[in-house]
Amino acid sequence: MVPFEAVVVSSVPLGGGVSSSASLEVATYTFLDVLTSGGADVSKKDKALACQKAEHQYAGMPCGIMDQFISVMGQEGHALLIDCR
């Protein structure tokens, strides 16, 4: 594994909600996936679960899966039904 440093510049205020941490995780995952493996064939569900796991393990935030799912699977003009039973 090769380490890297990154700087995130955003106009979203800290704690601003709008699933900002989940969307940043998904964007970072996608960037690193393309950078390191040319876009490995990972399911959208697995990508969302990996991002949730990162939030749990590295940020110490025991969040649910909704924000990661919508960040990965959302489509403009569509609703997303998430059945968490």
Side-chain angles (χ1 to χ4, degrees):
M1 194 178 337
V2 179
F4 77 100
E5 291 185 31
V7 175
V8 176
V9 178
S10 173
S11 60
V12 177
L14 290 176
V18 299
S19 303
S20 55
S21 62
S23 59
L24 180 60
E25 290 160 4
V26 170
T28 303
Y29 182 111
T30 303
F31 167 73
L32 293 174
D33 188 39
V34 171
L35 184 68
T36 59
S37 63
D41 191 23
V42 175
S43 74
K44 291 181 178 183
K45 177 183 174 184
D46 288 341
K47 182 187 281 192
L49 290 170
C51 290
Q52 180 194 33
K53 184 177 180 180
E55 187 108 23
H56 290 184
Q57 289 184 337
Y58 300 104
M61 177 56 153
C63 63
I65 192 64
M66 182 181 67
D67 292 349
Q68 287 81 6
F69 268 3
I70 193 63
S71 292
V72 171
M73 299 177 196
Q75 296 179 27
E76 185 177 349
H78 291 79
L80 180 66
L81 173 63
I82 302 171
D83 184 352
C84 294
R85 283 182 275 171

